[in-house]
Amino acid sequence: MSTAPRFRHGLVVGKFYPPHVGHAWLIDEAAARCDRVTVVVAASSVETISLENRVRWLAWHHAATPHVTVVGAVDDHPVDYDDPDVWDLHMAVFTGAVAEVAPGVPVDAVFSGEPYGDELARRLGAEHHMLDRTELPTSGTAARADLVGTWATLLPEARVDLARRIVVVGAESTGTTTLATALAHHLGAPLVGEYGRSFSAAKLARARQEAAAAGRPAPAFDEVTWTTDEFTHIAAEQQAGMDRAAVAHPMVVADTDGLATSVWHDRYIGGPHRPALVLARVRPPCLYLLTSPDGVAFEDDGLRDGEHVRTAMTATFAAVLADQDVPWALLEGTPTVRLARAVALVLEHAGPTELADPL
């Protein structure tokens, strides 16, 4: 990173549509040369990604650099670098945004990777630092044209939100893991396993170890006592696993999520689990797939209540899914039939995100 002389106040302006590593590099370069940096995200109302999300992603990415401030501004003016009247309109937007976060602090350096930075700096009475972006792996135009192909160049914070998520849910021993595994393999997507299952196995092992030490009989799974805090932990870990997978791939298949965790909380403790539901709604999936118990033989692996609860739990899942805004479907039949239906539903509801052209 450059060690050029420091400026009092640097400015970076852009659409950041979507924000990528080139944008981060530009902001980092400005931060290295300035006592403070204002980043103005200028978004138009015709663009697909919200202004709020772009500001949030950039602010979070640069959170460890406290002298960088990100501010958003709606800029629906046409782009014409040769029209001084249009420039006046844009400058009103830019200077108004800067005044919100740095009132009375003049901009003395503009950082950009485009020739328009010359005019922007001139109008601010500042020095323009045009950085060479020719060696960077992407641009906003390239990312908009092929979001999936340029996935690794987007900021991780953006990838977490933009990834398409498919969640498979269902009662015990109804083929949820079988379907989730097959679907992830078919799509070439990462599979996020059921964290609650591994947690349950460890909890039962611990309970049996404690019973053995106290000279008591080993408890069965339905004799283990649960707490609401444990369900909070399970939901948080499941969400974290999905988020990590989203950074790596634009499509994620998950075997359960926070919504399902809330259903199981109701089963074991009573009542929905609000924190788990909140987590599920922070980054809702594009599609829920509910597995039916019909035609699936019950397998008791020591971590299940029993075959008698499958039908009732499936009905509970269906009622909960019907009460939220995400598309869902009940899958029945053989594993092959279920997978074919799931793939068709993914194509219908979870295709790649398409970004509208900017102004």
Side-chain angles (χ1 to χ4, degrees), residues 10 13 25 28 54-55 62 71 74-76 89 91 113 118 121 130 145 154 224 232 245 259 276 283 313 335 341 352:
V13 174
W25 169 76
D28 285 340
R54 283 180 255 180
V55 170
H62 295 281
V71 61
V74 176
D75 188 354
D76 280 329
L89 297 174
M91 290 304 299
D118 286 337
M130 183 173 172
L154 305 183
V224 174
T232 303
L259 182 142
R283 298 183 184 94
M313 285 300 297
R341 178 82 196 287

Side-chain angles (χ1 to χ4, degrees), residues 3-310:
T3 58
R6 299 188 68 84
F7 296 89
R8 185 182 181 194
H9 187 190
L11 175 65
V12 179
V13 174
K15 286 184 172 295
F16 306 99
Y17 180 49
H20 52 72
V21 293
H23 295 135
W25 169 76
L26 180 64
I27 294 169
D28 285 340
E29 284 288 332
R33 304 185 194 184
C34 303
D35 294 330
R36 68 185 301 167
V37 175
T38 298
V39 179
V40 176
V41 181
S44 72
S45 57
V46 303
E47 294 161 355
T48 306
I49 301 175
S50 71
L51 173 60
E52 176 188 10
N53 276 344
R54 283 180 255 180
V55 170
R56 179 165 54 83
W57 296 335
L58 284 166
W60 182 243
H61 189 80
H62 295 281
T65 313
H67 63 290
V68 171
T69 302
V70 183
V71 61
V74 176
D75 188 354
D76 280 329
H77 303 303
V79 176
D80 186 345
Y81 297 128
D82 297 322
D83 188 328
D85 293 332
V86 172
W87 262 106
D88 289 341
L89 297 174
H90 288 295
M91 290 304 299
V93 173
F94 302 156
T95 56
V98 172
E100 288 183 24
V101 295
V105 183
V107 171
D108 57 353
V110 169
F111 292 81
S112 80
E114 304 288 348
Y116 71 75
D118 286 337
E119 179 63 12
L120 175 59
R122 186 190 70 78
R123 285 171 169 261
L124 291 169
E127 186 175 320
H128 180 210
H129 292 262
M130 183 173 172
L131 305 181
D132 183 6
R133 295 173 51 190
T134 57
E135 296 183 2
L136 292 176
T138 194
S139 66
T141 301
R144 288 190 296 274
D146 183 10
L147 201 63
V148 171
T150 59
W151 193 252
T153 70
L154 305 183
L155 294 192
E157 295 79 4
R159 283 179 259 163
V160 167
D161 280 353
L162 291 174
R164 315 297 278 173
R165 302 173 187 226
I166 301 97
V167 177
V168 183
V169 298
E172 296 170 329
S173 193
T174 58
T176 53
T177 299
T178 298
L179 176 61
T181 302
L183 182 60
H185 178 75
H186 180 88
L187 298 173
L191 171 65
V192 180
E194 184 183 3
Y195 175 80
R197 184 168 182 76
S198 60
F199 184 90
S200 297
K203 181 178 176 68
L204 179 59
R206 185 168 59 252
R208 288 177 171 173
Q209 184 179 34
E210 292 171 353
R216 300 191 305 269
F221 184 67
D222 60 1
E223 296 174 314
V224 174
T225 301
W226 290 86
T227 69
T228 292
D229 286 346
E230 288 174 316
F231 282 87
T232 303
H233 169 73
I234 289 170
E237 288 296 322
Q238 186 72 26
Q239 182 73 29
M242 294 167 68
D243 291 348
R244 288 191 295 270
V247 171
H249 199 277
M251 183 169 286
V252 174
V253 177
D255 184 355
T256 201
D257 73 342
L259 182 142
T261 302
S262 177
V263 171
W264 290 112
H265 180 275
D266 190 21
R267 168 76 179 86
Y268 288 112
I269 294 181
H273 189 275
R274 300 299 178 190
L277 290 173
V278 168
L279 280 174
R281 291 165 183 158
V282 167
R283 298 183 184 94
C286 302
L287 176 67
Y288 279 110
L289 300 172
L290 172 61
T291 52
S292 167
D294 295 344
V296 181
F298 181 78
E299 296 182 7
D300 188 354
D301 62 357
L303 295 175
R304 291 168 174 162
D305 282 347
E307 185 173 3
H308 65 286
V309 302
R310 293 196 301 170

